[in-house]
Amino acid sequence: MKMKHALRRKLVQIAAFGFSNIHLTNFRGGRIYQGKWKQFCNPGLNCYSCPAAGLSCPIGALQAVGGSMNFQFSFYVAGFLLAVGALFGRAVCGWVCPFGLFQELLHKIPSPKWKLPGWMRYLKYGILLVFVILLPVAATDYMGMGKPAFCQFICPAGTLEGGLPLLGTHPELRQSIGALFFLKAAVLVITLGGCVFAYRFFCRVMCPLGAIYGLMNRVSFFRLEVDPSKCINCGKCARECGMEVDPVRTPDCAECIRCGDCARACPAGAIRLGFGRRYSGKKG
Amino acid sequence: MSSKGDHGQGASERDGVRDGGGAPASGRYRNRAGALLLAAACGFVLYGLFRGEAAIVLNKAVNICLECIGLG
Ligand code: SF4
Ligand code: SF4
């Protein structure tokens, strides 16, 4: 049963990864998909300049509209993120984000494993505010157009999924490599290394999308509940959690990706993940 | 140092505040807030579509984004 849950989550993650990156043949020749589906956003982080991507990256899309000549804020993308967040919260991270799965695989590489200092989780809110929301709107050129600052200076998914395959297949693009590329390559190396040593390093420290969904864990319809009448306070759930959450104390913590590892670890079967509310919250 | 699955966090440590906010919201408040957000989200999407934002997203996504690949 426990094994079944872990396998089920992996299968969903792999299916979502495949769905997000369905145009695999585009890697040959370094083309990107240019069809109509790209007006829709992927719930998870997946660069739209990845040759295989079939949908838009929501963080890229948010900046693209915010930095456009006519608008400073994207109701379309913000509405999409609010809807997904209200339904699922950060379960998107635990179940369907392609970059989340990639990080989990990196963490399986044998190495010393580290905890992260608590303050690091707050960096992603700063990144969301400054690089995704403010800079594309505030730092504009003479035509009133801003650049997607998160994509430009930080996003390791863009460098990995878009940059490396496209630069590898387009010699003319390689001629434009400069300081910006080396900055982004350095961020990518730090991120990949971080993910080997610390579980989902990017999700916990840097991801603006995870920051948005995390804040919505408190109100999302998909939720984690602990039955106080069953919980024996053994602490096994908190020890098992890779995101360093204690689900008994803070079931709606913004770091919880609703992966269910705690529920699997609980010897009393006190933790439930799903839609709707089942437990009254009374000890008994 | 610890790996996922062994964070060395005992029950006593659980009494300290180490995972930030996220105490459970009461059920009724939560359902209302979720429904309200969902309704607002639908309004946002429709308004964004009406303003033509989907075309901007499409236009950005079907061309190679130089910023994304580290050249912009
Ligand atoms: S935090 Fe970001 S990268 Fe991590 S799973 Fe969530 S959306 Fe994906
Ligand atoms: S609290 Fe449970 S569901 Fe949430 S991230 Fe930790 S192990 Fe996963």
Side-chain angles (χ1 to χ4, degrees):
Chain A
M1 182 69 191
K2 289 183 174 183
M3 209 38 229
K4 240 164 92 181
H5 171 88
L7 188 67
R8 194 174 55 186
R9 188 169 81 91
K10 265 306 159 262
L11 289 177
V12 173
Q13 285 181 295
I14 291 168
F17 192 102
F19 177 75
S20 303
N21 294 292
I22 202 147
H23 302 285
L24 280 176
T25 52
N26 280 350
F27 277 114
R28 231 184 316 122
R31 283 172 289 121
I32 65 170
Y33 166 68
Q34 297 188 307
K36 290 249 181 284
W37 281 94
K38 273 209 168 158
Q39 66 191 296
F40 301 110
C41 291
N42 193 317
L45 195 83
N46 199 55
C47 184
Y48 42 32
S49 283
C50 171
L55 299 168
S56 276
C57 167
I59 292 298
L62 204 56
Q63 296 168 90
V65 179
S68 67
M69 248 186 303
N70 300 333
F71 308 119
Q72 301 201 317
F73 179 75
S74 177
F75 286 93
Y76 173 60
V77 182
F80 171 78
L81 294 176
L82 280 183
V84 174
L87 288 171
F88 305 107
R90 217 173 166 187
V92 172
C93 302
W95 291 77
V96 298
C97 177
F99 206 59
L101 172 63
F102 178 65
Q103 291 174 76
E104 285 185 12
L105 297 178
L106 281 178
H107 193 65
K108 292 201 185 297
I109 296 173
S111 73
K113 303 299 177 191
W114 299 339
K115 283 203 256 183
L116 292 176
W119 58 266
M120 287 185 87
R121 71 183 56 177
Y122 298 109
L123 290 177
K124 59 182 172 290
Y125 300 103
I127 290 175
L128 169 66
L129 189 70
V130 175
F131 288 87
V132 178
I133 297 174
L134 293 180
L135 280 179
V137 177
T140 51
D141 61 14
Y142 67 98
M143 286 169 70
M145 291 177 72
K147 288 202 170 191
F150 176 75
C151 303
Q152 193 177 17
F153 299 113
I154 299 179
C155 187
T159 318
L160 180 74
E161 301 167 10
L164 298 184
L166 291 178
L167 291 171
T169 44
H170 291 267
E172 74 281 8
L173 287 176
R174 285 202 290 276
Q175 288 169 1
S176 309
I177 288 179
L180 256 183
F181 180 78
F182 290 110
L183 169 73
K184 281 202 66 180
V187 175
L188 174 63
V189 170
I190 291 169
T191 306
L192 297 184
C195 292
V196 173
F197 295 112
Y199 184 66
R200 284 187 178 240
F201 175 80
F202 175 77
C203 300
R204 291 159 70 189
V205 177
M206 297 161 75
C207 184
L209 191 54
I212 296 172
Y213 289 142
L215 291 175
M216 299 181 75
N217 268 354
R218 276 172 168 267
V219 293
S220 64
F221 288 100
F222 189 86
R223 62 188 70 176
L224 180 152
E225 283 187 302
V226 181
D227 185 345
S229 67
K230 287 187 188 161
C231 176
I232 53 172
N233 249 315
C234 65
K236 275 193 178 162
C237 50
R239 282 196 295 274
E240 182 62 22
C241 177
M243 302 296 283
E244 297 180 45
V245 173
D246 181 345
V248 175
R249 277 179 43 84
T250 53
D252 293 331
C253 176
E255 298 302 302
C256 174
I257 56 170
R258 307 309 198 204
C259 64
D261 287 352
C262 53
R264 279 197 296 138
C266 176
I271 300 178
R272 166 190 169 264
L273 282 121
F275 289 97
R277 188 162 177 253
R278 195 169 293 166
Y279 305 136
S280 67
K282 291 196 186 79
K283 195 103 185 164
Chain B
M1 257 183 239
S2 67
S3 66
K4 176 185 181 302
D6 177 17
H7 288 278
Q9 180 190 11
S12 60
E13 201 175 335
R14 297 170 65 217
D15 295 336
V17 180
R18 71 184 292 279
D19 47 6
S26 95
R28 202 183 299 161
Y29 148 77
R30 183 184 181 127
N31 284 343
R32 275 196 204 146
L36 212 71
L37 264 181
L38 203 54
C42 293
F44 273 32
V45 171
L46 290 176
Y47 180 59
L49 284 173
F50 170 75
R51 296 205 306 176
E53 291 178 22
I56 298 176
V57 172
L58 181 66
N59 185 47
K60 179 74 181 172
V62 297
N63 294 298
I64 292 177
C65 162
L66 292 179
E67 292 86 1
C68 298
I69 67 172
L71 303 183

